[in-house]
Amino acid sequence: MPDRSRGRDPGDLLGNVDIQQLRCFVAVADELHFGRAAERLHVTPSPLSRRIRELEHELGSDLFIREYHRVRLTVFGLDFLEPAREVLKRFDALKHLSQDPEAYRRRRCRLGVAPLAAPLVVDAVLDAFHRAAPDVELPLTPAPSAELLAELAGDGLDLAVVHLPIGVPDLNSLTVGRGPYAVAMRADDEFAGRDSLTLSELRHREFLMASPKVHPFFMGGIRAAMLAAGITRIIDLPHTDVIQVATQVSRTGALNLTPGGPNHPAARVFGSPDYRLVPLGAPRITVSIGVAWRPGSEAQVPGLDDVLTALRDEYGANPISL
């Protein structure tokens, strides 16, 4: 495509570009993969690719170099990325404006909470707000970690309680709770009497894995540890419902890696006499849950700096045992 953008400021090239085209572009630029970007936006790759082509036509220059199983940003794409992010940030901020004139004078922090986050961690964060910033309103957004991190990066949230590590270089995080992993199995399983297990001992067994879409980076780390131990029979489930996972374990005899500490909801589901949770030995895998935020927002969001200081002082060196 002829480059009609040469010598022009990328921020001045918007023309008839619509906001969804920019959202598609930023998603592909972040993922460098059309399939993953489509999943993130909850669309199929075909319309996503079409929106990118329409955007390139409008701009008069290619944004991506498309190779076999590989996508890279062009020089112009790199230049266009930050202005596009800024437009999206400003646009997304509009939805938080209120017709209530008092809203501008209120102190509020938009808090996201992952449904699978341990209640002890969520309670610790809420308690920190009540102690350090009691006058700050806390509108809550429940959503999977992946969605919360996207909202946080896009300025749709101020703080999020999520599983760690987050895998997003532009965000900060702090661990508030940490606990061990265990192997969940039926009570009559051949390994049910063991005091501990290693992953390599289980390489011939079939494992159920909750949907990685809730947090691809975190779940990817768990999968990598399993593959490194020789476990290849992994069945990805289309959901993250722990009760349904337990039902599948009971029905099929397959195993499941799950947080094994007594203070994690997943461990309570497998606390029934029908199941056995065997602690996982080397390589030791832990589940960490904490908070994530945008760098610099401590000085902009009411009470956030005080809350983060309180959490860091109380749990930075001694996370809650999950």
Side-chain angles (χ1 to χ4, degrees):
M1 176 182 300
D3 189 351
R4 294 187 279 114
S5 66
R6 190 176 300 278
R8 297 170 63 189
D9 183 345
D12 296 332
L13 294 172
L14 295 183
N16 294 321
V17 171
D18 67 53
I19 201 69
Q20 288 305 319
Q21 288 174 329
L22 291 182
R23 208 175 293 282
C24 291
F25 162 65
V26 170
V28 177
D30 286 344
E31 302 291 343
L32 292 180
H33 190 283
F34 277 84
R36 291 194 296 269
E39 288 186 2
R40 170 171 152 180
L41 297 172
H42 305 293
V43 299
T44 58
S46 180
L48 173 65
S49 181
R50 184 173 64 252
R51 298 303 291 272
I52 295 294
R53 288 293 189 189
E54 291 171 351
L55 176 59
E56 289 175 322
H57 178 76
E58 185 66 34
L59 296 173
S61 183
D62 288 338
L63 293 165
F64 297 100
I65 299 172
R66 298 160 174 83
E67 300 173 341
Y68 186 66
H69 289 320
R70 187 183 180 193
V71 177
R72 292 185 292 128
L73 282 161
T74 63
V75 173
F76 174 72
L78 286 168
D79 290 340
F80 190 72
L81 181 56
E82 286 311 311
R85 288 191 196 279
E86 183 63 25
V87 170
L88 283 178
K89 179 179 178 179
R90 291 175 178 273
F91 179 84
D92 289 339
L94 293 176
K95 64 185 178 184
H96 301 296
L97 296 178
S98 171
Q99 294 181 348
D100 180 1
E102 294 298 317
Y104 295 102
R105 290 188 283 273
R106 292 187 188 131
R107 288 164 54 83
R108 66 203 308 261
C109 177
R110 299 163 298 171
L111 177 64
V113 177
L116 296 180
L120 280 179
V121 174
V122 178
D123 289 345
V125 174
L126 294 177
D127 183 62
F129 270 99
H130 294 154
R131 287 185 288 110
D135 60 334
V136 171
E137 294 183 5
L138 286 176
L140 296 181
T141 299
S145 291
E147 294 181 22
L148 294 178
L149 292 172
E151 281 289 302
L152 198 59
D155 197 24
L157 292 172
D158 301 312
L159 187 70
V161 181
V162 293
H163 287 78
L164 307 177
I166 54 177
V168 182
D170 294 334
L171 297 177
N172 288 339
S173 63
L174 170 68
T175 298
V176 177
R178 181 181 293 127
Y181 258 80
V183 184
M185 62 191 70
R186 292 195 318 206
D188 61 355
D189 193 274
E190 60 177 310
F191 292 111
R194 292 283 297 273
D195 293 327
S196 67
L197 284 166
T198 64
L199 287 179
S200 59
E201 290 180 284
L202 304 171
R203 58 184 177 274
H204 66 287
R205 295 293 299 272
E206 186 173 83
F207 275 79
L208 302 173
M209 194 165 190
S211 173
K213 293 182 179 180
V214 295
H215 197 330
F217 187 83
F218 173 77
M219 298 297 288
I222 303 298
R223 181 184 293 270
M226 296 169 69
L227 293 174
I231 297 173
T232 58
R233 298 171 61 192
I234 302 174
I235 299 176
D236 287 317
L237 300 176
H239 55 75
T240 58
D241 189 310
V242 180
I243 295 177
Q244 291 191 50
V245 173
T247 300
Q248 287 289 91
V249 169
S250 178
R251 182 178 300 147
T252 66
L255 307 178
N256 174 242
L257 278 184
T258 185
N263 293 319
H264 197 284
R268 298 174 192 172
V269 173
F270 287 108
S272 159
D274 297 330
Y275 303 100
R276 174 85 165 90
L277 275 178
V278 179
L280 186 64
R284 183 174 172 81
I285 303 175
T286 59
V287 56
S288 296
I289 303 175
V291 291
W293 68 96
R294 290 183 309 283
S297 61
E298 305 96 310
Q300 302 170 357
V301 179
L304 183 56
D305 189 33
D306 292 335
V307 168
L308 291 174
T309 298
L311 290 173
R312 193 176 289 109
D313 288 346
E314 189 160 359
Y315 306 110
N318 297 291
I320 297 170
S321 180
L322 300 179

